[in-house]
């Protein structure tokens, strides 16, 4: 592996900032999180619809397989709870033909419901020059479409180096962009959904990958930092794949092989920083294999119609970046509970 790839994989999230259409969005170090942790839990039936009316006694929470006491429990109606959606269009990691498919579908979504968004929504566009993003969310779909007209280039102008080295640059810029957007979202209250419309960025992982012990430690810390950044900002990440599974960037190797979280530096792999993996582990969804991009976006937004918020008080970790696997079970037949996969505790 080249030295540049190693620097990208273990340092990109720690860079100073990310270019936006409104100046620089700095990536400030995350403050120490409060002792109490909150989880958004989606509960669905076998048919995929939300399951409502459950009580706290129906839920069990496990922390590293050990029962964890639930401190608070609330069933939330998404239509009245503070919720924000960021719809990010990833031009940098897409081909022109992909963008030509996306554009009418994006307009279709923004102009649905007579142009009235279900939740305050922000439009962002990622190119190799940085992120152009609105300064504040809006529920005016027509206004959001006009913003997209301004931000989205009519002709793709990606001047990154082609091939392997161009892929290195896209990884770096993608992870910087993710950090910058989440830092901006963190400033606002409530639950946030980050819908990343993209085939995904390259992932340099596999048996031929070699990292020194120091690089493994730095990579593990970066994985932990990204995970905690999303959790503390209350951001759930969704991957909207405009290509579908047969054409995606993971066509030769499935992202599922990277889903198991590393619990120590020697287990860390760059694949854990893939968009699909980050989305799944945040409690979001990987949506694709469909030409109905507007429908996929709508499905992600519908995730907030009804959900449960539970909290717990974790014990202090024994070491830095100590991974804790979380699991929520519901004592009702035929239902599935989905939440973020875990957290990285600190002493």
């Amino acid at each position: 592996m080249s030295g540049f790839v190693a620097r990208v994989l273990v340092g990109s999230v720690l860079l100073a900032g990310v270019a936006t259409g409104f100046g620089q969005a700095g990536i400030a170090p995350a403050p120490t999180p409060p002792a109490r942790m909150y989880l958004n839990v989606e509960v669905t039936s076998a048919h995929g619809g939300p399951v409502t009316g459950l009580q706290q006694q129906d839920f069990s929470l496990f922390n590293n397989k050990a029962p964890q006491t639930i401190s608070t429990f609330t069933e939330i109606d998404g239509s009245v709870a503070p919720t924000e959606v960021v719809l990010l269009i990833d031009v940098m990691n897409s081909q022109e033909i992909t963008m030509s498919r996306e554009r009418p579908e994006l307009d279709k979504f923004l102009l649905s419901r007579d142009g009235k968004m279900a939740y305050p929504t922000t439009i962002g566009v990622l190119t190799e020059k940085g992120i152009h993003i609105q300064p504040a969310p809006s529920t005016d779909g027509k206004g959001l479409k006009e913003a997209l007209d301004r931000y989205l280039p009519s002709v793709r102008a990606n001047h990154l180096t082609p091939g392997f080295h161009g892929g290195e640059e896209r990884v770096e810029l993608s992870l910087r962009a993710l950090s910058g957007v989440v830092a901006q979202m963190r400033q606002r209250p409530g639950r946030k959904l980050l819908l990343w419309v993209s085939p995904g960025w390259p992932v340099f992982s596999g048996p031929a990958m070699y990292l020194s012990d120091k690089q493994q430690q730095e990579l593990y810390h970066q994985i932990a930092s990204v995970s905690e950044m999303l959790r503390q900002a209350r951001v759930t990440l969704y991957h909207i794949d405009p290509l579908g599974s047969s054409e995606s960037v993971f066509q030769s190797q499935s992202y599922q092989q990277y889903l198991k979280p590393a619990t120590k530096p020697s287990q860390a792999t760059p694949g854990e920083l893939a968009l699909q993996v980050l989305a799944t582990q945040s409690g979001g969804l990987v949506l694709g294999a469909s030409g109905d991009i507007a429908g996929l976006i709508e499905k992600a937004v519908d995730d907030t119609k009804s959900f449960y918020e539970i909290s717990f008080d974790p014990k202090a970790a024994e070491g830095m970046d100590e991974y804790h696997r979380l699991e929520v079970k519901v004592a009702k037949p035929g239902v599935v509970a989905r939440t973020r996969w875990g957290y990285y505790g600190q002493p």
Side-chain angles (χ1 to χ4, degrees):
M1 180 183 65
S2 74
F4 181 75
V5 173
R7 291 195 301 274
V8 167
L9 294 175
V10 301
S12 56
V13 171
L14 305 179
L15 294 174
V18 56
T20 73
F22 303 93
Q24 295 291 320
I27 307 175
T32 302
R36 179 158 292 180
M37 292 190 181
Y38 291 84
L39 299 174
N40 297 318
V41 183
E42 316 287 345
V43 182
T44 55
S45 67
H47 302 290
V51 177
T52 60
L54 298 175
Q55 305 298 317
Q56 180 170 339
Q57 57 265 30
D58 297 320
F59 287 75
S60 297
L61 174 63
F62 297 87
N63 187 338
N64 280 346
K65 298 184 178 181
Q68 173 78 56
T69 300
I70 296 175
S71 302
T72 62
F73 172 89
T74 309
E75 181 176 4
I76 295 180
D77 179 351
S79 64
V80 296
T83 303
E84 178 185 343
V85 174
V86 172
L87 181 61
L88 191 139
I89 316 305
D90 187 348
V91 177
M92 182 179 66
N93 288 300
S94 302
Q95 300 294 326
E96 285 186 50
I97 188 172
T98 305
M99 297 307 305
S100 67
R101 294 176 187 173
E102 283 183 31
R103 187 52 204 270
E105 290 290 314
L106 295 171
D107 290 349
K108 178 181 176 182
F109 169 73
L110 294 173
L111 298 179
S112 63
R113 305 181 186 181
D114 295 324
K116 180 72 172 179
M117 296 290 97
Y119 303 101
T121 300
T122 302
I123 290 290
V125 175
L126 172 63
T127 71
E128 75 275 11
K129 296 180 181 179
I131 296 179
H132 299 278
I133 192 167
Q134 293 174 287
S138 171
T139 57
D140 179 8
K142 294 180 181 179
L144 292 169
K145 180 184 178 301
E146 292 174 359
L148 188 60
D149 290 337
R150 293 193 301 271
Y151 297 152
L152 195 62
S154 57
V155 178
R156 178 174 166 80
N158 189 334
H159 302 295
L160 297 177
T161 306
F164 180 79
H165 293 292
E168 293 175 332
E169 292 179 81
R170 287 192 286 127
V171 172
E172 178 182 9
L173 292 173
S174 297
L175 291 174
R176 288 183 65 181
L178 175 63
S179 298
V181 172
V182 173
Q184 184 168 324
M185 296 173 76
R186 182 175 180 154
Q187 305 306 313
R188 294 191 277 267
R191 185 181 182 185
K192 301 99 174 180
L193 276 63
L194 175 52
L195 314 185
W196 200 291
V197 184
S198 170
W201 48 77
V203 175
F204 300 99
S205 206
M209 176 69 62
Y210 171 77
L211 294 174
S212 67
D213 289 345
K214 181 180 179 181
Q215 289 172 338
Q216 287 281 170
Q217 292 174 353
E218 292 174 336
L219 175 60
Y220 180 76
H221 178 66
Q222 184 182 2
I223 292 168
S225 297
V226 173
S227 176
E228 286 301 288
M229 173 183 69
L230 290 165
R231 182 186 67 80
Q232 293 177 29
R234 298 193 65 187
V235 172
T236 306
L237 179 62
Y238 293 76
H239 173 220
I240 312 295
D241 188 350
L243 298 180
S245 59
S246 63
E247 302 175 90
S248 74
V249 74
F250 273 81
Q251 57 184 339
S252 61
Q253 53 179 346
S254 172
Y255 72 89
Q256 280 93 343
Q257 64 185 299
Y258 304 114
L259 282 176
K260 184 178 180 181
T263 59
K264 54 186 178 181
S266 62
Q267 297 174 345
T269 65
E272 290 182 65
L273 291 173
L275 174 59
Q276 297 89 332
V277 175
L278 294 175
T280 303
Q281 292 183 353
S282 77
L285 296 170
V286 175
L287 300 171
S290 169
D292 183 12
I293 299 171
L296 296 177
I297 297 172
E298 192 69 46
K299 181 176 181 179
V301 173
D302 283 349
D303 233 14
T304 61
K305 280 186 175 179
S306 177
F307 61 96
Y308 300 87
E309 181 186 83
I310 64 176
S311 72
F312 66 99
D313 298 310
K315 296 180 180 179
E318 295 181 0
M320 294 292 293
D321 298 332
E322 180 182 271
Y323 184 73
H324 287 251
R325 181 72 167 95
L326 297 175
E327 185 178 8
V328 175
K329 295 183 179 181
V330 179
K332 296 289 183 181
V335 303
V336 176
R338 171 167 47 87
T339 189
R340 66 174 298 107
W341 282 34
Y343 68 94
Y344 289 85
Q346 307 301 328

